[in-house]
Short mmCIF file of all heavy atoms in Angstrom, two decimals:
data_model
loop_
_atom_site.label_atom_id
_atom_site.label_comp_id
_atom_site.label_asym_id
_atom_site.label_seq_id
_atom_site.Cartn_x
_atom_site.Cartn_y
_atom_site.Cartn_z
N LEU A 41 94.73 100.80 80.44
CA LEU A 41 94.03 99.72 81.12
C LEU A 41 93.00 99.11 80.17
O LEU A 41 92.23 99.83 79.55
CB LEU A 41 93.32 100.23 82.38
CG LEU A 41 94.21 100.84 83.46
CD1 LEU A 41 93.35 101.36 84.61
CD2 LEU A 41 95.22 99.83 83.98
N LEU A 42 93.01 97.79 80.08
CA LEU A 42 92.01 97.09 79.27
C LEU A 42 90.66 97.17 79.97
O LEU A 42 90.57 97.57 81.13
CB LEU A 42 92.44 95.65 79.05
CG LEU A 42 93.77 95.46 78.31
CD1 LEU A 42 94.14 93.99 78.24
CD2 LEU A 42 93.72 96.07 76.92
N ILE A 43 89.61 96.76 79.29
CA ILE A 43 88.25 96.89 79.81
C ILE A 43 88.09 96.25 81.19
O ILE A 43 87.49 96.85 82.08
CB ILE A 43 87.23 96.28 78.82
CG1 ILE A 43 87.19 97.13 77.55
CG2 ILE A 43 85.85 96.18 79.43
CD1 ILE A 43 86.37 96.55 76.43
N ASP A 44 88.64 95.05 81.38
CA ASP A 44 88.49 94.39 82.68
C ASP A 44 89.19 95.17 83.78
O ASP A 44 88.66 95.34 84.88
CB ASP A 44 88.97 92.94 82.63
CG ASP A 44 90.43 92.81 82.25
OD1 ASP A 44 90.96 93.68 81.53
OD2 ASP A 44 91.06 91.81 82.67
N LYS A 45 90.36 95.70 83.49
CA LYS A 45 91.11 96.48 84.48
C LYS A 45 90.43 97.83 84.73
O LYS A 45 90.42 98.33 85.86
CB LYS A 45 92.56 96.71 84.03
CG LYS A 45 93.34 95.45 83.76
CD LYS A 45 93.72 94.74 85.01
CE LYS A 45 94.57 93.53 84.65
NZ LYS A 45 95.16 92.89 85.76
N ALA A 46 89.84 98.40 83.69
CA ALA A 46 89.10 99.67 83.84
C ALA A 46 87.91 99.46 84.78
O ALA A 46 87.60 100.32 85.61
CB ALA A 46 88.64 100.18 82.49
N GLY A 47 87.26 98.30 84.66
CA GLY A 47 86.15 97.96 85.54
C GLY A 47 86.60 97.83 86.98
O GLY A 47 85.91 98.26 87.91
N ILE A 48 87.76 97.24 87.18
CA ILE A 48 88.31 97.10 88.53
C ILE A 48 88.63 98.48 89.11
O ILE A 48 88.33 98.76 90.28
CB ILE A 48 89.56 96.19 88.52
CG1 ILE A 48 89.16 94.76 88.18
CG2 ILE A 48 90.30 96.26 89.86
CD1 ILE A 48 90.32 93.82 87.88
N LEU A 49 89.22 99.34 88.30
CA LEU A 49 89.52 100.70 88.75
C LEU A 49 88.23 101.40 89.17
O LEU A 49 88.17 102.01 90.24
CB LEU A 49 90.22 101.50 87.64
CG LEU A 49 90.44 102.98 87.94
CD1 LEU A 49 91.37 103.17 89.13
CD2 LEU A 49 90.98 103.69 86.72
N GLU A 50 87.22 101.31 88.34
CA GLU A 50 85.93 101.93 88.65
C GLU A 50 85.37 101.40 89.97
O GLU A 50 84.90 102.17 90.81
CB GLU A 50 84.95 101.64 87.51
CG GLU A 50 83.59 102.26 87.68
CD GLU A 50 82.68 101.92 86.52
OE1 GLU A 50 83.15 101.82 85.37
OE2 GLU A 50 81.48 101.75 86.78
N GLN A 51 85.45 100.10 90.15
CA GLN A 51 84.95 99.49 91.38
C GLN A 51 85.73 99.98 92.60
O GLN A 51 85.14 100.34 93.62
CB GLN A 51 85.05 97.97 91.26
CG GLN A 51 84.50 97.23 92.44
CD GLN A 51 84.60 95.73 92.24
OE1 GLN A 51 85.63 95.22 91.81
NE2 GLN A 51 83.53 95.03 92.53
N GLU A 52 87.05 100.03 92.50
CA GLU A 52 87.87 100.45 93.64
C GLU A 52 87.64 101.92 93.99
O GLU A 52 87.58 102.28 95.17
CB GLU A 52 89.35 100.18 93.37
CG GLU A 52 89.70 98.71 93.32
CD GLU A 52 89.31 97.94 94.57
OE1 GLU A 52 89.57 98.43 95.69
OE2 GLU A 52 88.72 96.85 94.44
N VAL A 53 87.48 102.76 92.98
CA VAL A 53 87.17 104.17 93.23
C VAL A 53 85.81 104.29 93.90
O VAL A 53 85.64 105.05 94.86
CB VAL A 53 87.22 105.00 91.92
CG1 VAL A 53 86.69 106.41 92.14
CG2 VAL A 53 88.64 105.04 91.37
N SER A 54 84.85 103.52 93.43
CA SER A 54 83.51 103.54 94.02
C SER A 54 83.56 103.12 95.48
O SER A 54 82.87 103.71 96.33
CB SER A 54 82.56 102.64 93.24
OG SER A 54 82.41 103.12 91.92
N PHE A 55 84.35 102.11 95.80
CA PHE A 55 84.47 101.66 97.19
C PHE A 55 85.01 102.76 98.09
O PHE A 55 84.58 102.93 99.22
CB PHE A 55 85.35 100.42 97.30
CG PHE A 55 84.73 99.16 96.75
CD1 PHE A 55 85.54 98.07 96.46
CD2 PHE A 55 83.37 99.03 96.52
CE1 PHE A 55 84.99 96.88 95.95
CE2 PHE A 55 82.81 97.87 96.02
CZ PHE A 55 83.63 96.79 95.73
N VAL A 56 85.97 103.53 97.57
CA VAL A 56 86.51 104.65 98.35
C VAL A 56 85.45 105.73 98.50
O VAL A 56 85.24 106.26 99.60
CB VAL A 56 87.80 105.22 97.72
CG1 VAL A 56 88.25 106.49 98.44
CG2 VAL A 56 88.92 104.18 97.75
N LEU A 57 84.76 106.06 97.41
CA LEU A 57 83.71 107.08 97.48
C LEU A 57 82.59 106.67 98.44
O LEU A 57 82.01 107.52 99.12
CB LEU A 57 83.13 107.36 96.09
CG LEU A 57 84.04 108.09 95.11
CD1 LEU A 57 83.40 108.15 93.73
CD2 LEU A 57 84.36 109.49 95.61
N LEU A 58 82.29 105.38 98.49
CA LEU A 58 81.25 104.88 99.40
C LEU A 58 81.74 104.81 100.84
O LEU A 58 80.94 104.62 101.76
CB LEU A 58 80.78 103.49 98.95
CG LEU A 58 79.92 103.45 97.70
CD1 LEU A 58 79.79 102.03 97.17
CD2 LEU A 58 78.55 104.06 97.97
N GLY A 59 83.04 104.96 101.03
CA GLY A 59 83.59 104.89 102.38
C GLY A 59 83.86 103.48 102.85
O GLY A 59 84.13 103.25 104.02
N LEU A 60 83.80 102.51 101.95
CA LEU A 60 84.01 101.12 102.31
C LEU A 60 85.49 100.74 102.36
O LEU A 60 85.87 99.83 103.08
CB LEU A 60 83.26 100.20 101.33
CG LEU A 60 81.74 100.35 101.35
CD1 LEU A 60 81.11 99.60 100.19
CD2 LEU A 60 81.17 99.88 102.68
N VAL A 61 86.30 101.41 101.57
CA VAL A 61 87.74 101.19 101.56
C VAL A 61 88.40 102.52 101.93
O VAL A 61 88.11 103.54 101.30
CB VAL A 61 88.24 100.72 100.17
CG1 VAL A 61 89.76 100.69 100.12
CG2 VAL A 61 87.68 99.34 99.85
N PRO A 62 89.23 102.52 102.96
CA PRO A 62 89.90 103.77 103.33
C PRO A 62 90.82 104.25 102.20
O PRO A 62 91.45 103.45 101.53
CB PRO A 62 90.73 103.41 104.56
CG PRO A 62 90.43 102.00 104.88
CD PRO A 62 89.61 101.40 103.79
N SER A 63 90.87 105.54 102.03
CA SER A 63 91.71 106.09 100.96
C SER A 63 93.18 105.73 101.18
O SER A 63 93.94 105.64 100.22
CB SER A 63 91.53 107.60 100.85
OG SER A 63 91.78 108.22 102.09
N SER A 64 93.56 105.46 102.41
CA SER A 64 94.95 105.09 102.71
C SER A 64 95.31 103.73 102.11
O SER A 64 96.48 103.43 101.90
CB SER A 64 95.18 105.06 104.22
OG SER A 64 94.32 104.13 104.84
N LYS A 65 94.32 102.90 101.79
CA LYS A 65 94.57 101.58 101.21
C LYS A 65 94.35 101.56 99.69
O LYS A 65 94.53 100.53 99.05
CB LYS A 65 93.67 100.54 101.85
CG LYS A 65 94.00 100.27 103.30
CD LYS A 65 93.16 99.14 103.84
CE LYS A 65 93.55 98.86 105.28
NZ LYS A 65 92.84 97.70 105.80
N PHE A 66 94.00 102.70 99.14
CA PHE A 66 93.63 102.77 97.73
C PHE A 66 94.78 102.34 96.81
O PHE A 66 94.59 101.51 95.92
CB PHE A 66 93.15 104.18 97.39
CG PHE A 66 92.67 104.35 95.98
CD1 PHE A 66 91.64 103.57 95.48
CD2 PHE A 66 93.23 105.31 95.16
CE1 PHE A 66 91.18 103.75 94.18
CE2 PHE A 66 92.79 105.49 93.86
CZ PHE A 66 91.76 104.70 93.37
#
Side-chain angles (χ1 to χ4, degrees):
L41 299 177
L42 299 176
I43 293 172
D44 60 332
K45 303 286 183 171
I48 292 169
L49 174 63
E50 182 181 325
Q51 183 178 46
E52 292 304 315
V53 171
S54 297
F55 289 162
V56 173
L57 289 173
L58 287 167
L60 296 170
V61 172
S63 55
S64 60
K65 292 185 178 185
F66 184 58

